[in-house]
Amino acid sequence: MSTYFTRGFELPYLYHDLVNDRIQTLHREAEEQRLIARVRRVQRARREVRRANERLSRALSREV
């Protein structure tokens, strides 16, 4: 009978641990998604700078 009570007491703790693990996983995934979004913004900005430099170079070479 004591085994039943021990398992009964352990169950809420296991559930609590599972919930905490899931929350931590969601936080990690959210941070990964924020990092991916930042990397994409930087890549897009670099492409825009490269294109702007190319346009400027073409415009300057036409003037000469």
Side-chain angles (χ1 to χ4, degrees):
M1 194 160 169
S2 64
T3 305
Y4 174 75
F5 287 117
T6 301
R7 287 185 181 165
F9 287 123
E10 288 176 5
L11 191 58
Y13 294 113
L14 287 174
Y15 181 75
H16 183 72
D17 288 345
L18 287 173
V19 169
N20 281 341
D21 287 346
R22 182 64 179 140
I23 290 169
Q24 289 175 358
T25 299
L26 290 171
H27 282 295
R28 276 193 305 271
E29 290 173 355
E31 181 58 33
E32 289 172 3
Q33 291 301 317
R34 286 190 292 272
L35 180 59
I36 289 168
R38 277 185 248 144
V39 168
R40 286 182 179 160
R41 281 194 299 272
V42 168
Q43 289 173 337
R44 187 181 322 118
R46 285 180 177 167
R47 280 193 306 270
E48 290 173 1
V49 166
R50 191 176 333 110
R51 288 176 186 153
N53 283 335
E54 289 169 359
R55 287 192 305 270
L56 180 60
S57 292
R58 282 193 303 270
L60 290 175
S61 67
R62 289 180 196 153
E63 290 182 8
V64 175

